[in-house]
Amino acid sequence: MARVLVVGSDVQGERALLQRLRVAASLPADTVRSCRDLDECDLLVIKDTPALRNAALRMVRERPRIQFWVEDQDGQLRQGQGDNRGVLDDNAIEHALRRMPEAPISIDEPCTARGAKAITRALRESLPARQGHAVLALEGSPRLLLDFVQDQMVVPAGVPVADLAQHLSDSFDALSLHGISERRYQQLAGALPRQPLRPLLWQWGLRPAHWHDLDARLQRHARVKLLRWPDFRVLGHQHDSFRLCSLLLKRACSVDECARLLDMPAEAVRGFVHPAYLCGYAALEDTAASAPMLRAGSGGGTLLARMWRSVRQRGGG
């Protein structure tokens, strides 16, 4: 993105110059922007008058990273300093603008959640609602753009895609979540590829860090209930995960119950619950909340007894 400070032109002249630069460089409108602060601009363009030229030369000597162009009386652009003062044609303009470093994107929207626990809660609320857009940021710099409506994500330019799930896990407590408008989302995403969101969240959830509170509830025998089948792209060919899904869709079970009924390690059950919980596929029922379900009902024994009678009847026992 090129941030351009135009000096010596009126508003109409500035807009015409910016449009000319965009056309010459074949760049989208939002990548060549007007700037008002000399310390934040990439390109200084002045009208060619002796006073402006002398002032501009002093300013850019103190800021050597800024490029300096002059618009002459015929409306042609020339380098403002150096030996080559020839007219800049479209190819030269394009080459210069495309080589300018991208300005860091700042997230101005207020933070809605910060840290692992709050972000997990916010994701679990937003994912099933299928509403809104958000950005995950680290120290104000976007790391992931979230489209809850389409269940998609965009990795911002400059963010390494390799080991992204591990990076998010490592910095989970330092991340912040910011709600943004759809227009802002499209502006930040630009032409970058849209990708499915849940597979990344699932890989993120598989990392063992930051699940202390969740594991503490599981150790207190909280029951896990699967709310819907996960995306098959996240399950792959994991036979045990399919067995867990089949069980937890029918009834809520604790980790120990799952391990006993399916003859699998409790650690493997927790390894499934972590990403399923982060993605909003699973919910927890604390033992105290579910205890009334196990008390005797009127005239039919306990709910658990009635459940097992139903199972035996279906099996012909």
Side-chain angles (χ1 to χ4, degrees):
M1 180 176 69
R3 298 164 294 177
V4 184
L5 177 60
V6 181
V7 179
S9 291
D10 57 19
V11 174
Q12 186 175 358
E14 178 183 343
R15 289 175 178 170
L17 175 61
L18 291 174
Q19 181 60 22
R20 177 182 168 192
L21 296 178
R22 293 168 187 141
V23 172
S26 301
L27 290 170
D30 61 347
T31 58
V32 180
R33 298 181 183 176
S34 175
C35 178
R36 293 288 177 265
D37 190 334
L38 185 64
D39 291 322
E40 295 181 358
C41 84
D42 305 302
L43 171 64
L44 172 64
V45 182
I46 67 165
K47 283 288 188 180
D48 194 8
T49 68
L52 285 178
R53 180 185 284 273
N54 290 334
L57 285 171
R58 287 196 302 271
M59 290 187 290
V60 298
R61 272 198 296 267
E62 298 172 0
R63 302 167 179 83
R65 72 170 190 82
I66 297 178
Q67 294 201 41
F68 170 35
W69 296 354
V70 172
E71 186 179 13
D72 65 22
Q73 301 304 318
D74 298 323
Q76 296 177 317
L77 293 171
R78 301 174 183 271
Q79 291 284 356
Q81 55 186 343
D83 297 331
N84 183 10
R85 303 291 180 87
V87 174
L88 295 167
D89 59 15
D90 286 357
N91 288 334
I93 292 173
E94 179 180 10
H95 181 70
L97 292 180
R98 289 185 179 274
R99 291 186 62 188
M100 289 179 183
E102 289 195 11
I105 300 173
S106 60
I107 302 300
D108 301 321
E109 289 80 1
C111 173
T112 57
R114 188 181 302 277
K117 191 171 182 178
I119 290 175
T120 298
R121 184 185 303 113
L123 290 176
R124 287 176 47 76
E125 292 172 356
S126 299
L127 286 164
R130 301 293 290 266
Q131 293 180 352
H133 300 75
V135 55
L136 274 169
L138 180 63
E139 298 178 350
S141 177
R143 287 294 180 266
L144 193 67
L145 307 178
L146 308 170
D147 179 353
F148 297 118
V149 179
Q150 301 296 328
D151 214 1
Q152 292 179 339
M153 68 172 195
V154 172
V155 182
V159 176
V161 178
D163 298 323
L164 178 57
Q166 186 64 56
H167 168 70
L168 293 172
S169 178
D170 291 342
S171 52
F172 206 164
D173 272 327
L175 291 174
S176 58
L177 185 72
H178 305 255
I180 57 176
S181 67
E182 181 179 3
R183 181 176 180 180
R184 176 71 163 147
Y185 173 85
Q186 298 298 345
Q187 178 189 32
L188 292 173
L192 294 169
R194 276 62 171 168
Q195 304 175 51
L197 174 58
R198 305 287 179 123
L200 175 71
L201 292 182
W202 190 274
Q203 290 300 315
W204 181 0
L206 287 173
R207 272 60 184 180
H210 306 292
W211 295 121
H212 312 298
D213 290 345
L214 179 60
D215 283 338
R217 292 179 64 187
L218 294 175
Q219 288 170 2
R220 293 195 296 268
H221 307 291
R223 291 180 171 82
V224 183
K225 175 65 177 178
L226 204 63
L227 305 175
R228 50 167 286 198
W229 269 101
D231 188 321
F232 281 90
R233 287 171 293 191
V234 307
L235 295 179
H237 299 287
Q238 304 168 35
H239 179 60
D240 284 342
S241 294
F242 277 94
R243 295 170 64 213
L244 279 165
C245 289
S246 299
L247 172 64
L248 296 176
L249 279 168
K250 293 178 181 178
R251 53 171 288 194
C253 293
S254 69
V255 168
D256 290 339
E257 288 172 329
C258 288
R260 185 174 64 254
L261 292 171
L262 299 179
D263 191 22
M264 59 188 298
E267 188 61 35
V269 178
R270 281 191 292 271
F272 169 85
V273 173
H274 294 164
Y277 187 79
L278 177 63
C279 291
Y281 292 130
L284 263 60
E285 301 174 356
D286 288 320
T287 305
S290 56
M293 296 176 57
L294 301 179
R295 289 199 294 263
S298 57
T302 66
L303 175 62
L304 185 60
R306 293 198 302 273
M307 181 186 296
W308 282 115
R309 275 203 303 272
S310 173
V311 170
R312 286 198 301 272
Q313 289 168 0
R314 288 199 301 268

